[in-house]
Amino acid sequence: MTWQPRAGSSPEQRKNKVVHARFSASEITRIERAAERAGLTVSAFMRSLSLEGAGVRPFFTAEDRVLLGALWKDLRTVSVNLNQLARAANRRHSRFDEEGAVLDDVQRAMAALVYEIGFFADRGARLRKGRR
């Protein structure tokens, strides 16, 4: 029986090149466990990480960068307000209502940032498995 490429696979898509890397026994064990958790072979797992790390397949999409840019702008705005509150507190001028509103803004901005970063981390694993 002669080897036949899968339907739709082109010579550029065939994985016929090998890269050699050396790992300690403990490193390869950790890599194997991580690949298993991601639902991938070690080869697919390492390929995915290598391509993302080299920027060949970017971790963040254009939409991700827009969203992170907006979150960054919000956090910068909140930080300016925090600095103003700190200066006022240092001068012993109390503005409790305003301080509470700024703290609420900080909490919302941080919760959104934590959620989005968690989403990106989960999405990386989903993409490694071939899902969106």
Side-chain angles (χ1 to χ4, degrees):
M1 180 173 190
T2 310
W3 177 82
Q4 295 292 320
R6 283 185 281 162
S9 78
S10 67
E12 313 77 57
Q13 294 173 322
R14 286 188 205 115
K15 293 167 183 68
N16 58 358
K17 301 294 181 189
V18 176
V19 174
H20 296 277
R22 295 181 187 271
F23 297 98
S24 70
S26 65
E27 288 171 331
I28 198 66
T29 298
R30 291 191 309 238
I31 290 168
E32 289 168 342
R33 286 180 187 153
E36 185 178 324
R37 283 192 306 273
L40 298 171
T41 64
V42 170
S43 181
F45 183 75
M46 295 302 292
R47 188 171 36 256
S48 175
L49 294 177
S50 298
L51 292 172
E52 287 174 5
V56 174
R57 186 174 67 200
F59 182 75
F60 291 120
T61 65
E63 294 84 12
D64 297 339
R65 286 189 287 280
V66 168
L67 179 60
L68 286 173
L71 286 171
W72 179 249
K73 183 179 175 186
D74 287 347
L75 287 173
R76 285 180 43 195
T77 300
V78 169
S79 72
V80 168
N81 291 339
L82 283 173
N83 285 335
Q84 291 171 347
L85 287 173
R87 279 194 293 274
N90 287 335
R91 290 189 308 257
R92 302 280 187 234
H93 296 134
S94 181
R95 301 184 311 196
F96 292 110
D97 291 340
E98 196 172 323
E99 290 168 1
V102 170
L103 290 175
D104 287 344
D105 288 346
V106 170
Q107 184 180 15
R108 278 192 295 278
M110 293 306 293
L113 185 60
V114 167
Y115 173 81
E116 291 300 327
I117 290 172
F119 172 80
F120 292 132
D122 290 343
R123 191 194 62 204
R126 287 191 310 274
L127 289 174
R128 282 186 202 86
K129 294 178 185 176
R131 295 180 283 178
R132 290 213 168 246

